[in-house]
């Protein structure tokens, strides 16, 4: 059996490529990997532990928090707080940023935006869920890290990744030099390199969208859906429709097989449902690094200047030719 390279070995090997790096980012990625293993353990036995169902609380998004939302949030915040490399966290589950004022962390270099548990509506029905993270470098060391330092464009990310808790548990991340995927081997408790240098599938034939919102879609999106459903062998149509309701799981499948994920503006979410800082930016960074594209329908997701920590954006993300076609349909209107 070929010996797999573990996440830890890979990070150390890659760190050697950054001679001036002192290992802080490497340690931060390791801390995230550890928290992911703890969350994975609870996700895998959710039906047996008292960790399913509503937590009886609501987050700033107006969403009823699931017990696993709160558990995952606590685990990642604890791992990031104790790791000593992160000075501030923006989490979906907290109204404000969390400053980490421990002795070791208050001068730490990195800021982390996180969606601790993505796809919460799927927890109780045993469908894949995920975690999404985005890492920025702190800009100003003159005084205490401020909330404003979170509001950096996606192009400023130093790393981004996701964990998908599915038929197997995978961690996929980029530091701007390609995308690598690691599969958790439960028998040794290690993430092992299983998908080196991931590139988006070059046979794009899938589209993912919640067609229940069709009546409220912009005309250009309605026209694009019709295009996907037309019969045309030359362009592999009709495309396959696949929608899980966990962005990480939909994105991961489209990354491997080729496809597009669309969450346009709808009646309930006039600015789109998905959050820029801890869903759209990190996944856009990954997809661009894997040779794809991520747009808000008019411009590059990574170039949006954030105005607030929980702001939402429409998102069209996947193969370049598919995203550009949606942009064209939206222009035609
Ligand atoms: P979260 O569970 O972190 O709140 O995110 C849920 C998001 C995303 O994962 C998914 O793609 C989308 O909500 C599904 O929304 P609809 O149920 O409106 O289709
Ligand atoms: Mn949520
Ligand atoms: Mn989410
Ligand atoms: Mn979430």
């Amino acid at each position: 059996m070929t010996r797999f390279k573990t996440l830890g070995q890979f990070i150390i090997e890659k760190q050697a490529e950054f001679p001036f790096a002192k290992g802080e980012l490497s340690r931060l990625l390791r801390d995230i990997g550890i928290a992911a293993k703890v969350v994975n353990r609870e996700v895998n036995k959710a039906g047996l532990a008292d960790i399913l169902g509503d937590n009886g609380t609501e987050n700033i998004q107006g969403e009823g928090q699931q017990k696993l939302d709160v558990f995952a949030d606590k685990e990642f915040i604890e791992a990031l707080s104790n790791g000593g490399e992160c000075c501030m966290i923006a989490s979906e589950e907290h109204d404000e940023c969390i400053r980490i004022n421990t002795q070791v962390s208050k001068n730490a270099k990195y800021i982390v935006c996180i969606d601790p548990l993505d796809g919460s509506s799927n927890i109780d029905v045993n469908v894949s869920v995920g975690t999404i993270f985005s890492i920025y470098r702190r800009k100003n060391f003159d005084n205490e890290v401020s909330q404003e330092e979170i509001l950096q464009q996606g192009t400023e990310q130093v790393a981004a990744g996701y964990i998908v808790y599915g038929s197997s548990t995978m961690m996929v991340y980029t530091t701007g030099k390609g995308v690598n995927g690691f599969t958790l081997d439960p028998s040794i408790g290690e993430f092992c390199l299983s998908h080196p240098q991931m590139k988006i599938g070059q046979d794009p034939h899938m589209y993912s969208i919640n067609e229940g919102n069709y009546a409220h879609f912009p005309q250009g999106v309605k026209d694009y859906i019709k295009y996907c459903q037309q019969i045309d062998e030359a362009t592999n149509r009709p495309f396959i429709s696949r929608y899980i309701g966990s962005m990480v799981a939909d994105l991961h499948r489209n990354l491997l097989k080729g496809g597009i994920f669309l969450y346009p503006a709808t009646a309930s979410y006039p600015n789109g449902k998905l959050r820029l800082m801890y869903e759209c930016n990190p996944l856009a960074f990954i997809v661009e690094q894997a040779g794809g594209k991520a747009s808000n329908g008019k411009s590059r997701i990574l170039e949006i200047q954030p105005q607030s920590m929980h702001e939402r954006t429409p998102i069209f993300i996947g193969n370049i030719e598919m995203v550009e076609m949606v942009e064209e349909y939206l222009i035609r209107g």
Side-chain angles (χ1 to χ4, degrees), residues 131-149:
T131 295
I132 312 170
F133 62 90
S134 166
I135 301 174
Y136 289 91
R137 191 173 286 107
R138 180 176 170 180
K139 294 267 187 224
N140 169 358
F141 285 84
D142 300 343
N143 34 48
E144 197 181 48
V145 61
S146 69
Q147 301 247 23
E148 286 61 44
E149 293 210 56

Side-chain angles (χ1 to χ4, degrees), residues 92 115 117-119 132 247 274-275 278-279:
E92 177 198 351
D115 177 357
L117 210 289
D118 175 66
I132 312 170
M247 187 180 188
L274 299 163
R275 283 60 57 110
Y278 40 80
E279 289 171 317

Side-chain angles (χ1 to χ4, degrees), residues 19 25 30 45-46 48 57 67 151-152 171 203 210 217 245 302 310:
L25 182 59
R30 178 212 59 200
K45 64 177 187 185
L48 299 174
T57 49
K67 286 180 187 163
L151 303 179
Q152 299 183 41
M171 178 162 161
D203 166 23
N210 180 344
F217 286 154
L302 294 182
H310 294 292

Side-chain angles (χ1 to χ4, degrees), residues 162-321:
Y162 61 81
I163 296 102
V164 52
Y165 310 99
S167 45
S168 65
T169 295
M170 274 192 72
M171 178 162 161
V172 174
Y173 80 90
T174 182
T175 56
K177 292 184 171 296
V179 179
N180 291 286
F182 299 80
T183 300
L184 182 64
D185 178 343
S187 66
I188 56 170
E190 289 284 2
F191 280 105
C192 299
L193 183 62
S194 52
H195 297 66
Q197 285 304 322
M198 294 171 77
K199 290 293 172 203
I200 192 163
Q202 287 308 300
D203 166 23
H205 59 285
M206 262 179 208
Y207 70 104
S208 308
I209 188 167
N210 180 344
E211 297 200 38
N213 297 317
Y214 185 85
H216 305 294
F217 286 154
Q219 188 54 45
V221 171
K222 291 180 178 175
D223 295 341
Y224 181 71
I225 293 174
K226 287 270 166 285
Y227 167 83
C228 292
Q229 295 167 347
Q230 282 164 351
I231 296 172
D232 173 27
E233 268 179 42
T235 52
N236 251 339
R237 287 181 290 153
F239 291 154
I240 295 171
S241 169
R242 285 283 183 278
Y243 191 73
I244 297 173
S246 296
M247 187 180 188
V248 169
D250 279 314
L251 194 285
H252 183 68
R253 182 207 50 244
N254 291 357
L255 185 60
L256 292 175
K257 296 192 178 280
I260 183 169
F261 174 92
L262 310 90
Y263 207 110
T266 65
S268 331
Y269 298 104
N271 296 318
K273 174 181 184 183
L274 299 163
R275 283 60 57 110
L276 176 63
M277 297 309 294
Y278 40 80
E279 289 171 317
C280 299
N281 268 339
L283 296 180
F285 188 14
I286 288 171
V287 167
E288 284 198 3
Q289 282 286 312
K293 181 171 179 141
S295 163
N296 64 3
K298 289 195 277 302
S299 49
R300 192 180 173 213
I301 289 282
L302 294 182
E303 289 176 357
I304 297 173
Q305 176 50 55
Q307 301 305 320
S308 72
M309 173 175 144
H310 294 292
E311 77 178 61
R312 300 173 191 267
T313 174
I315 184 165
F316 307 92
I317 182 170
N319 291 79
I320 293 174
E321 61 268 41

